[in-house]
Amino acid sequence: MADSSFDIVSKVERQEVDNALNQAAKEISQRYDFKGVGASISWSGDKILMEANSEDRVTAVLDVFQSKLIKRGISLKALDAGEPQLSGKEYKIFATIEEGISQDNAKKVAKIIRDEGPKGVKAQVQGDELRVSSKSRDDLQTVIALLKGKDFDFALQFVNYR
């Protein structure tokens, strides 16, 4: 019998991020506490740009955006928001959506699987994802439960389970 396997990835659906951004922009344009403060949120190339005329307001824009991401099922670990920066009379925050598992993080996950996972489970790094394989599907379920119990500083999804 062939080995069963699954992939560990860190991907974000761009359309869901776009929907969350549009919802946040709509809420910011309608909310009373954002009237007259020049608050806005938009795409700036691959980054997300949040602007307002005070540091408190621009962090409030970030909070609104984060709440919309959570409602859309996107992990906040994928959002890398910078600190508020003063640019002229405006405060700005640039945020990026991180995708893919870096080589270092993939090695950490593979080491955890080797050390704490069931015997006979193999993990190999393939680009920006990790393939986990074993003869037993129960062992794969155990590995998924083990990794869900760990707190990583990046988002993980489990795909291609077969």
Side-chain angles (χ1 to χ4, degrees), residues 14 17 21 40-51 58 61-63 65-66 69 76 78-85 92-98:
R14 172 90 176 188
V17 174
L21 185 116
S40 68
I41 182 169
S42 61
W43 286 104
S44 174
D46 284 344
K47 295 185 176 191
I48 298 163
L49 171 64
M50 292 161 264
E51 296 178 297
V58 78
V61 170
L62 177 60
D63 288 343
F65 182 53
Q66 287 175 336
L69 286 175
L76 291 182
L79 179 70
D80 182 27
E83 293 297 314
Q85 302 169 343
K92 296 181 179 185
I93 294 179
F94 285 100
T96 56
I97 302 295
E98 294 183 356

Side-chain angles (χ1 to χ4, degrees), residues 26-47:
K26 186 173 182 179
E27 183 173 322
I28 289 164
S29 70
Q30 293 174 346
R31 268 186 32 185
Y32 178 76
D33 58 335
F34 286 118
K35 295 280 187 224
V37 296
S40 68
I41 182 169
S42 61
W43 286 104
S44 174
D46 284 344
K47 295 185 176 191

